[in-house]
Amino acid sequence: MLNPDQRAQFERDGYLVIPAFKSADEIARVRARAAEIVNDFDPTQHRSIFTTRDQLAATDDYFLRSDNTIRCFFEEEAFDEHGQLRQDKSLSINKIGHALHDLDPVFENFSRDPKLAQVARNLGLKDAQVWQSMYIFKQPGIGGEVGWHQDASFFETDPITVTTFWFALEDATLDNGCLWVQPGGHRGPMRERFVRSGDDIKMEKLDSTPWPDSSSAIPLEATAGSLVCFHGLLPHYSAPNRSAVSRHAYTLHATDASAEYSPLNWIQRDASFPVRGFI
Ligand code: FE2
């Protein structure tokens, strides 16, 4: 699937953009399914979370219970000071996570793709294990910033193997909050580790190497249908979306079964719901 130049580029830069990887039909199917999930989502219960004194604990609990289920999360700026949605519910959801690829047939079909399995093998995942899926909306006007981070912080293995598969479901541009990356930055250290102990979660600082800035980071604009693959240590970021158009994307995170998966990672699976590969 990948030619030697593409493999060399991934090794050198820590990322690779493959245009026209998914067809317009495939994209239309997952977009329609995401709209259905949001339509069926009753925000009443979750909205109350934003008004309780225990907001942090309740928010953490809602997040933690989404590890092996399908839940919707609001944009931070979705609500006004009275707790009312600023815009329609369909334009207020930040993301859906985190087991769409295993629990929803439409997303399973999109994610378990022999072509994708081949790309993963070409990038070094001999026996891929797909831990997480997210549908990210980056809504018009209120789409939130995602600060600089490395995905390996969330899916640590020894050695590091986590690879991100990021599908542009709409054109991602500078205006609507495309990805920014630091070419070659995957050769730097892991700066943070997100650890879970029961229902406690925290981010541990591991290394003081600064995050990239505009002198070393570049924007990755991508047309709808493109697949962006990147190394788990590649620092990346996306800006808020203040434009009038959304920037939908779908992501998968996979590690290699030959590497030891940290028991501190926030998503764990057992025999009742085993982790699976791309096919
Ligand atoms: Fe990320």
Side-chain angles (χ1 to χ4, degrees):
M1 175 77 205
L2 297 182
N3 63 43
D5 283 352
Q6 289 173 306
R7 296 186 207 200
Q9 194 198 330
F10 185 82
E11 291 273 319
R12 183 187 67 231
D13 298 334
Y15 69 90
L16 179 67
V17 182
I18 309 174
F21 188 83
K22 288 285 191 181
S23 70
D25 273 1
E26 290 174 290
I27 291 174
R29 278 196 286 275
V30 287
R31 288 193 62 170
R33 181 62 192 132
E36 275 177 15
I37 293 171
V38 170
N39 192 45
D40 293 345
F41 169 56
D42 174 7
T44 324
Q45 195 185 353
H46 186 43
R47 189 187 302 189
S48 70
I49 284 168
F50 288 82
T51 60
T52 63
R53 276 185 307 153
D54 244 356
Q55 182 178 320
L56 210 58
T59 305
D60 282 355
D61 184 69
Y62 186 81
F63 169 75
L64 285 169
R65 306 283 169 250
S66 73
D67 51 359
N68 293 318
T69 57
I70 297 175
R71 289 190 169 186
C72 296
F73 295 83
F74 283 108
E75 293 280 4
E76 256 182 65
E77 297 177 21
F79 298 93
D80 65 18
E81 66 273 23
H82 307 294
Q84 300 300 310
L85 285 177
R86 292 177 198 273
Q87 47 197 39
D88 189 75
K89 182 178 70 170
S90 64
L91 294 173
S92 301
I93 303 298
N94 170 287
K95 69 173 176 181
I96 310 171
H98 290 90
L100 288 158
H101 61 300
D102 278 329
L103 297 176
D104 185 277
V106 175
F107 281 97
E108 180 170 28
N109 195 45
F110 187 91
S111 310
R112 298 217 149 82
D113 168 350
K115 209 166 67 158
L116 183 56
Q118 182 68 45
V119 170
R121 271 195 298 276
N122 289 166
L123 295 179
L125 296 174
K126 291 187 177 62
D127 185 5
Q129 298 188 315
V130 188
W131 294 95
Q132 173 178 273
S133 46
M134 292 190 287
Y135 189 104
I136 300 163
F137 291 85
K138 203 70 137 173
Q139 300 285 5
I142 60 168
E145 173 185 56
V146 179
W148 283 102
H149 67 281
Q150 296 159 300
D151 290 346
S153 297
F154 300 88
F155 297 96
E156 190 173 11
T157 58
D158 184 12
I160 297 287
T161 56
V162 65
T163 307
T164 305
F165 299 86
W166 191 102
F167 301 89
L169 304 178
E170 295 183 285
D171 292 346
T173 67
L174 272 173
D175 272 353
N176 68 4
C178 67
L179 283 171
W180 286 71
V181 299
Q182 181 195 24
H186 62 304
R187 287 189 288 271
M190 187 160 107
R191 293 159 176 81
E192 298 173 320
R193 173 190 289 136
F194 186 74
V195 296
R196 176 178 191 169
S197 173
D199 284 348
D200 289 330
I201 43 175
K202 65 176 175 196
M203 190 67 97
E204 290 178 356
K205 192 79 192 163
L206 302 177
D207 189 281
S208 59
T209 302
W211 292 111
D213 57 26
S214 54
S215 65
S216 60
I218 61 162
L220 275 194
E221 293 191 308
T223 51
S226 300
L227 166 60
V228 182
C229 307
F230 53 93
H231 189 283
L233 287 175
L234 185 77
H236 58 285
Y237 157 87
S238 69
N241 180 9
R242 301 299 179 205
S243 81
V245 294
S246 54
R247 193 227 66 189
H248 291 197
Y250 177 66
T251 67
L252 294 166
H253 288 91
T255 63
D256 191 80
S258 66
E260 190 187 344
Y261 187 79
S262 170
L264 300 177
N265 289 334
W266 84 281
I267 294 180
Q268 301 288 331
R269 292 287 183 91
D270 59 23
S272 69
F273 192 32
V275 65
R276 295 168 52 203
F278 284 110
I279 42 177

